[in-house]
Amino acid sequence: MVIIHKSIYGTTMSLPQMRTFIEVYRRRSLSDAARALGITQPAASQHIASLEAQLGHPLFDRHSRGVRPTAIADDFAASIGGSLDKAEAALASARARSVRISGTVHIAAPSDLLGEMITPRLGPLLDAGLDLRLHIGGRDALYAMLLDDKVHLGITASRPEDARLAYQEIGSEDLRAVAAPAIAEDMGRMPLSEALNTVPCLAYDLDRPLVRNWLEANQIEVARLPALTAPDLRVLRSGLCAGLGWTVLPGYLTSAERTACTLVEIAAPVRVPTNAFYLVWAKSSLRHPRVALARDALIGALRP
């Protein structure tokens, strides 16, 4: 067994032991950590027991729903967690560059982003020998899939706060209020605030994420709930072209329609806001060379 780390407590430990500890610490579950690592639960328990014996302190308190880290575990995780992730990611990236990698990588994104922006740029991943499985999911579903190891990489317009996830900004989208020409002409006969409160609004959901961003950036209040919601921005685009109302969409989704004048932009009185989007992954997933390869290839393909 290769010993690669000397802890703050003066003991030495192996990479498998440290990875098991970090997975158990982040997941608060021996069984979930073992499943993520591809080892048995007894093996995971043995790794933790070995570390506890070396440290002379318990790392976790066991209870019916999993484990709870002790203060020693908190200190230990802070000492090794970030450096371990970076070391494993660097090793996986080096392996991916040195040999031809094969295998399957699962990628998730909102349906419109996946269809319009992500899929057309996946050629480098296929050329590298990877098989791809694409999944659809909004922010919360995407994060859950990443944490449950159901997907390896996700693309979303939100920045994760969960410490088990890592991310990198890979681009941005401008948010433009748009409507069909006849609707925009009718709206132009009224003060903008009145028009936005009068003409039906189309939105992703009742929380109106993109619409709300545009309204806040332009200091406008719209109290009226959306008249139509759909969790696919391409559906909203179709509704706009049919003259159903107005909404706010990423610029890339309406550039062709605005060029053809089948949709027109409602001028922003203050500014056109932008929305960053991110590539997100579970920190532990980069120990797999194929995931590291796919991450690096996606970053290169999606960056402007």
Side-chain angles (χ1 to χ4, degrees), residues 78-131:
S79 171
I80 71 169
S83 58
L84 179 61
D85 290 328
K86 291 178 182 177
E88 288 194 325
L91 179 60
S93 293
R95 286 175 179 167
R97 290 192 298 269
S98 63
V99 297
R100 182 167 178 83
I101 298 298
S102 63
T104 301
V105 175
H106 293 256
I107 301 171
S111 56
D112 41 85
L113 188 63
L114 190 63
E116 298 282 337
M117 181 176 291
I118 307 303
T119 302
R121 303 185 184 187
L122 294 178
L125 282 74
L126 297 177
D127 292 342
L130 297 172
D131 295 327

Side-chain angles (χ1 to χ4, degrees), residues 46-296:
Q46 185 177 20
H47 287 172
I48 298 302
S50 177
L51 287 177
E52 289 177 330
Q54 292 180 66
L55 295 172
H57 298 279
L59 291 169
F60 299 99
D61 295 324
R62 278 69 170 175
H63 60 86
S64 59
R65 295 185 179 180
V67 297
R68 185 179 299 110
T70 63
I72 294 294
D74 288 335
D75 290 343
F76 191 34
S79 171
I80 71 169
S83 58
L84 179 61
D85 290 328
K86 291 178 182 177
E88 288 194 325
L91 179 60
S93 293
R95 286 175 179 167
R97 290 192 298 269
S98 63
V99 297
R100 182 167 178 83
I101 298 298
S102 63
T104 301
V105 175
H106 293 256
I107 301 171
S111 56
D112 41 85
L113 188 63
L114 190 63
E116 298 282 337
M117 181 176 291
I118 307 303
T119 302
R121 303 185 184 187
L122 294 178
L125 282 74
L126 297 177
D127 292 342
L130 297 172
D131 295 327
L132 304 179
R133 301 293 178 263
L134 306 183
H135 305 261
I136 293 171
R139 179 190 63 187
D140 294 339
L142 188 149
Y143 290 163
M145 287 189 285
L146 287 168
L147 292 172
D148 290 340
D149 298 314
K150 294 179 179 177
V151 302
H152 301 112
L153 300 167
I155 301 97
T156 179
S158 63
R159 185 166 56 188
E161 297 180 356
D162 193 303
R164 293 169 292 178
L165 298 175
Y167 63 89
Q168 182 163 333
E169 183 175 336
I170 52 174
S172 63
E173 54 193 15
D174 55 306
L175 304 180
R176 298 183 182 274
V178 285
I183 298 295
E185 184 177 351
D186 289 342
M187 294 175 71
R189 298 190 182 100
M190 296 176 273
L192 182 57
S193 180
E194 179 184 348
L196 296 176
N197 277 280
T198 301
V199 176
C201 175
L202 286 57
Y204 184 88
D205 57 29
L206 292 177
D207 192 43
R208 309 174 304 174
L210 301 184
V211 172
R212 178 167 35 80
N213 289 354
W214 190 91
L215 293 173
E216 290 174 355
N218 289 285
Q219 303 169 17
I220 299 173
E221 291 187 15
V222 172
R224 181 177 176 177
L225 289 175
L228 181 152
T229 64
D232 187 320
L233 300 183
R234 294 169 298 182
V235 175
L236 302 185
R237 183 178 61 189
S238 295
L240 293 181
C241 292
L244 300 185
W246 71 276
T247 194
V248 175
L249 292 174
Y252 72 85
L253 268 178
T254 61
S255 59
E257 289 76 10
R258 285 183 282 120
T259 299
C261 297
T262 54
L263 292 176
V264 297
E265 182 173 2
I266 300 167
V270 179
R271 65 182 177 90
V272 173
T274 59
N275 217 17
F277 52 92
Y278 305 88
L279 183 63
V280 185
W281 60 91
K283 292 178 178 178
S284 59
S285 70
L286 290 188
R287 65 179 180 274
H288 302 298
R290 70 183 188 282
V291 178
L293 173 65
R295 183 202 62 168
D296 294 344

